[in-house]
């Protein structure tokens, strides 16, 4: 767990900087959180790694997405070739990116640079049966945790790719929070009104298959995706390694919600990069008592929101470590 021993000293250090108290708003809160995680008054964030987990979903057979399932595999190739939005944002911000096959449909992917942690060739169709077995869920959690522990950066960001994964995340959130589905179901990759209505009907049918609420492991087993479960484990592992965990959008936040239920101390390590335009994200953020840094009407996933928030984290840490105090600068404080 994160120590609170320095909390008063952190607050005094921030308030002593050459600015009115609170003038840097949320940046001050983020600086304090980073200092708490690193247990120092002079925090540093020098490196960030984005791990992208890819996996397919059996629920895609119900036409809950505007795109065919083949896009997951095609996008893995795009990530490995450096052509996706996540690659562009990562390069621009000096972030290392790795791609993990958590369970993409089809045969194993043979490609340089790909990390294979395949659980299966996609989950099963949770409209009619559990998405995965208990053993598969635990294997995905442990694989993710090991990747998180080995992140080798002081900030760990996680993204995902998987056609149908907003449907998966919606039902996991529904079972964890008890929130009505109509407050959670969104357009995902761009469903029209008819597609959205169809998606909601299918998810309502799937939700009736199990009791509510479910605990995190059961919700992930019944409705999760291998990429989502692996991401939840990776968040726990990265925090255990002492890294700040930078959370992306709707799907990553649902993974964080499940992970914090399994490991409550994780919450202190989580910084939420942005509020997605996906319908249910606000509900999940509220359940996590989270205030995201950015709101840019994005709904891409891939860790893109986290990547755009990374410079804010770096600046927050640098502010606390490098900004002059009234005393050191010879500047008069408030009268």
């Amino acid at each position: 767990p994160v120590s609170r021993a320095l909390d008063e000293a952190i607050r005094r250090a921030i308030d002593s900087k050459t600015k009115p108290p609170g003038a840097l708003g949320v940046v001050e809160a983020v600086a304090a959180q980073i200092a708490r995680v690193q247990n120092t008054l002079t925090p540093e964030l020098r490196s960030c790694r984005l791990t992208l987990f890819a996996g397919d979903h059996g629920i895609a057979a119900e036409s809950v997405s505007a795109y065919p399932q083949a896009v997951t595999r095609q996008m893995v190739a795009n990530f490995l070739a450096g052509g996706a939005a996540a690659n562009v944002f990562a390069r621009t911000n000096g972030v290392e990116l790795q791609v993990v096959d958590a369970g993409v449909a089809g045969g194993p992917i043979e490609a340089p640079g790909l990390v294979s942690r395949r659980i299966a060739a996609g989950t099963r169709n949770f409209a009619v049966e559990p998405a995965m077995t208990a053993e598969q869920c635990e294997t995905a959690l442990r694989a993710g945790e090991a990747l998180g522990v080995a992140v080798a950066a002081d900030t760990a960001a996680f993204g995902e790719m998987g056609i149908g994964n907003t449907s998966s995340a919606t039902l996991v959130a529904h079972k964890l929070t008890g929130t009505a589905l109509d407050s959670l179901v969104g357009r995902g990759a761009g469903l029209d009104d008819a597609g959205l209505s169809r998606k909601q009907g299918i998810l309502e049918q799937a939700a009736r298959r199990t009791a509510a609420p479910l605990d995190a492991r059961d919700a992930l087993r019944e409705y999760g995706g291998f990429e989502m479960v692996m991401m939840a484990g990776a968040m726990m592992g990265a925090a255990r390694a002492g890294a700040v965990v930078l959370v992306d959008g709707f799907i990553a936040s649902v993974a964080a919600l499940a992970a914090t239920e399994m490991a409550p101390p994780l919450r202190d390590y989580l910084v939420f990069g942005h509020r997605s335009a996906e319908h249910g994200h606000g509900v999940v953020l509220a359940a996590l008592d989270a205030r995201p840094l950015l709101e840019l009407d994005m709904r891409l996933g891939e860790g893109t929101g986290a990547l755009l928030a990374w410079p804010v984290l770096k600046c927050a840490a640098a502010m606390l470590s490098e900004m002059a105090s009234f005393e050191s600068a010879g500047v008069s404080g408030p009268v």
Side-chain angles (χ1 to χ4, degrees):
V2 164
S3 171
R4 300 276 174 170
L6 289 179
D7 276 11
E8 285 191 27
I10 292 168
R11 175 45 51 199
R12 285 197 301 271
I14 291 172
D15 286 346
S16 74
K17 302 298 183 183
T18 49
K19 60 171 184 60
L24 288 176
V26 176
V27 173
E28 297 185 17
V30 173
Q33 183 179 357
I34 296 165
R36 200 176 295 124
V37 168
Q38 296 186 352
N39 197 33
T40 178
L41 296 178
T42 54
E44 288 185 304
L45 291 182
R46 295 181 176 178
S47 58
C48 179
R49 172 184 276 188
L50 171 67
T51 303
L52 267 169
F53 296 98
D56 274 308
H57 295 257
I59 192 65
E62 305 291 338
S63 300
V64 293
S65 175
Y67 288 82
Q69 189 174 70
V71 168
T72 303
R73 195 177 189 93
Q74 293 163 0
M75 282 300 299
V76 168
N78 192 22
F79 294 135
L80 294 171
N87 299 98
V88 174
F89 292 174
R91 282 195 299 271
T92 301
N93 286 313
V95 173
E96 181 185 354
L97 187 152
Q98 68 172 352
V99 184
V100 178
D101 177 4
V104 176
I109 302 171
E110 304 287 344
L114 179 69
V115 178
S116 180
R117 297 292 184 272
R118 288 175 66 82
I119 305 299
T123 58
R124 297 185 301 225
N125 184 352
F126 62 63
V128 295
E129 61 182 328
M132 65 191 76
T133 66
E135 182 180 3
Q136 286 175 327
C137 188
E138 287 302 316
T139 301
L141 279 170
R142 298 290 80 81
E145 191 168 5
L147 287 167
V149 167
V151 72
D154 47 38
T155 305
F158 301 104
E160 38 59 41
M161 177 64 215
I163 295 301
N165 64 7
T166 59
S167 293
S168 174
T170 294
L171 277 178
V172 173
H174 170 62
K175 294 295 180 175
L176 292 179
T177 67
T179 303
L181 276 174
D182 59 6
S183 296
L184 291 166
V185 179
R187 297 182 186 275
L191 287 171
D192 59 17
D193 289 346
L196 181 63
S197 177
R198 173 180 169 77
K199 178 180 178 179
Q200 177 149 344
I202 291 165
L203 297 188
E204 286 172 351
Q205 170 195 327
R208 288 193 291 269
R209 200 175 48 73
T210 62
L214 296 176
D215 67 22
R217 274 182 166 80
D218 283 343
L220 290 171
R221 177 178 59 82
E222 290 284 355
Y223 300 107
F226 296 134
E227 82 282 26
M228 191 186 310
V229 179
M230 217 169 276
M231 187 189 304
M235 290 176 180
M236 292 188 282
R240 201 172 83 206
V244 174
V245 177
L246 182 50
V247 182
D248 189 41
F250 176 56
I251 293 152
S253 295
V254 172
L257 182 63
T260 54
E261 182 179 304
M262 292 183 281
L266 169 65
R267 179 62 186 85
D268 289 335
Y269 293 82
L270 303 179
V271 178
F272 293 81
H274 78 124
R275 181 188 299 273
S276 166
E278 185 63 19
H279 185 51
H281 195 199
V283 171
V284 177
L285 290 169
L288 285 157
D289 191 25
R291 182 174 183 178
L293 300 181
L294 306 172
E295 187 166 1
L296 301 172
D297 292 336
M298 293 170 56
R299 52 178 175 81
L300 179 59
E302 302 179 8
T304 48
L307 289 167
L308 291 176
W310 164 235
V312 179
L313 269 67
K314 286 197 296 183
C315 289
M319 177 275 291
L320 182 50
S321 296
E322 301 174 20
M323 187 175 173
S325 67
F326 286 106
E327 182 178 1
S328 69
V331 174
S332 300
V335 293

